[in-house]
Amino acid sequence: MAGTARARLVPRLRAPYRDANDTSYRPALDGVRAVAVLAVIAYHVGWRVPGGFLGVDVFFVLSGYLITGLLLREASGSGRIRLAEFWIRRARRLLPAVLLLLLVCAIVTKETAPLASLPDRRADILSTLFYYGNWHFIDSAQSYFTTYTGVSPLRHMWSLAIEEQFYLLWPLFLAGFMVFVRGWRRALPWLIVAGAAISTALMAVRYQAANPIRSYYGTDTRVHQLLIGAALAALMHLRPALSQNRRARHVAKRVAPVAATIIVASFFTVGDQDAFYYRGGSALFAIVVAVGLWSIETCPKGAVAAALSRSPMRWIGRVSYGLYLWHWPLIVWLAESDRFKGWDQFQLQLFEIAATFAIAAASFYLLECPIRYGTLPWLRDHVRRFVAVASVGIAIPAFLAVQSTQIRLSTAQGQPKIDPVKIAEQLNDKSIVECAPSPFLGDLYGFCEKTAPWDLDPVVVAVAGDSTSLALHPGMYREASKNNWLFVQAGENGCSATPLLFVGSTDPAEVATKANCPRLIPEMLKQVSEAYDPDVWIINDWVASASLMLDDGRLYSYRDGVFK
């Protein structure tokens, strides 16, 4: 009885190798998933794997290959594609784990997110929930390649948004193509290749060295990798001789190690800012991945396929979806938690990985498998019940996304008012922290970089003043990130940017400390000028109001809502 239950929970785990066109479980493909997710995790935790982001590219090619092969086999067997059944299967596979992640994300946001980040976190959750996250991150200019305080814990979900958009539209396209185009079998591979070429060209055209966000995140600029996988599936399905004769197996046995070497070498050599990647390199890498998939499918007993099919690799591949979902939020949350501030970096990285594996495994066995394979009591494989449960499951994170990102209101004598305690808690914005004191300015004043632009010669914007200049941080940070500026913060609480002394306390120690402000301000301005040569200075405090100075010496004052 126990053996039967286990077989239903994790079906075909020990299935033998099958023919490349068989729908049976192929263990080497789980090994491919394992390689891809391990590369992404290594890239994100900060290990020296500069090309680990290419693991996402591997996932794209593999997804295009598997989904297209499944659809073509169904069409050949029954003469049509059952769209509703396909989408239900995808929902059973993908929704449970991501809904759990979004529930946890909404709770963590409610408890820890600073006030300034609440609109962004709400949009992050909703865009992830409805699978348009990649376009949301384009619109909000959240770079995939920078790490900074306040980064979205759902930033990695851009790739799943693209995959879901593909899962929605590609079956519709194929179903319509088969119905309305005569000789579709002959035309389909060429059409897929043409679509991949157009997408590759769009990635190159839309690429901007100073801001590659649009090129990197866009569905139109990314779909070529999914289509390259789809082209492989179409060729293997419509041209069986490509994978079912002795000569093909002989070639595949020799090609597999070459493709594997190129893929692994790319993880360690390709940079996320390399122009080559955006100007055709991503398509070339996807082709190498497709060749690798063809080789291990055609020669499943070769050395590479055998290595990928080993038990540890198969297991990592099976839980790879959960690993991908949870690794980045854990990295963000643990890095921002005060409990881990004193940890050694390598120690923290190992803890992040261990926690990711533990949560992913629990999610896989306790949530994903029971729903996917219909072993959950009452729900089973009942479609209507699943749709009802899924609808409620989607509504709950959507509701919590709104509720957890609102400032709570309390009522006094029937009139709503903002709860000052709640505001005080939420204003504990960890991103608005003062810079460490400069060694040349004593223990009072400091300045530091707040953004990390990828341009070699970015526009430099420096902000100086007292606490009012620090309060500009959320807006300045957002604009600087969006426009790829280097934002330098040089503010100090209670220390006016004017050479005047303003002391709002009778405490002798504070009076003595603030007395240094007029002396330190000129030195601070000099040091920032020498270190960064700002293109724009923004001087703001409660006395000087707001002034803007350009590097050519022009000075503007803020009056009537504009700088004049």
Side-chain angles (χ1 to χ4, degrees), residues 213-232:
I213 291 176
R214 174 63 179 85
S215 182
Y216 190 82
Y217 283 141
T219 306
D220 54 345
T221 57
R222 274 292 191 167
V223 75
H224 63 274
Q225 295 174 321
L226 289 149
L227 290 177
I228 287 171
L232 173 64

Side-chain angles (χ1 to χ4, degrees), residues 145-191:
F145 308 116
T146 56
T147 301
Y148 43 79
T149 303
V151 67
S152 169
L154 295 173
R155 190 174 66 182
H156 65 312
M157 299 299 285
W158 70 273
S159 61
L160 292 180
I162 291 178
E163 287 201 358
E164 283 303 308
Q165 292 160 25
F166 181 79
Y167 295 158
L168 176 64
L169 298 177
W170 185 238
L172 281 172
F173 172 82
L174 282 182
F177 191 75
M178 293 173 184
V179 170
F180 295 107
V181 177
R182 290 184 177 181
W184 64 267
R185 288 178 173 84
R186 182 182 301 176
L188 183 61
W190 293 105
L191 185 66

Side-chain angles (χ1 to χ4, degrees), residues 423-435:
I423 290 182
E425 292 175 354
Q426 295 191 354
L427 279 175
N428 182 26
D429 190 337
K430 296 179 181 179
S431 68
I432 311 175
V433 294
E434 296 182 50
C435 302

Side-chain angles (χ1 to χ4, degrees), residues 323-350:
L323 293 175
Y324 187 81
L325 289 183
W326 287 99
H327 82 281
W328 179 246
L330 287 173
I331 290 172
V332 172
W333 293 333
L334 295 179
E336 294 180 350
S337 174
D338 293 334
R339 296 182 180 181
F340 300 93
K341 291 299 183 184
W343 283 38
D344 174 76
Q345 183 182 13
F346 184 68
Q347 183 183 16
L348 181 59
Q349 291 169 341
L350 291 180

Side-chain angles (χ1 to χ4, degrees), residues 527-549:
Q527 288 190 23
V528 174
S529 296
E530 291 176 350
Y532 296 102
D533 187 23
D535 298 286
V536 177
W537 273 99
I538 296 179
I539 311 296
N540 188 49
D541 59 43
W542 73 281
V543 175
S545 184
S547 300
L548 183 149
M549 179 180 290

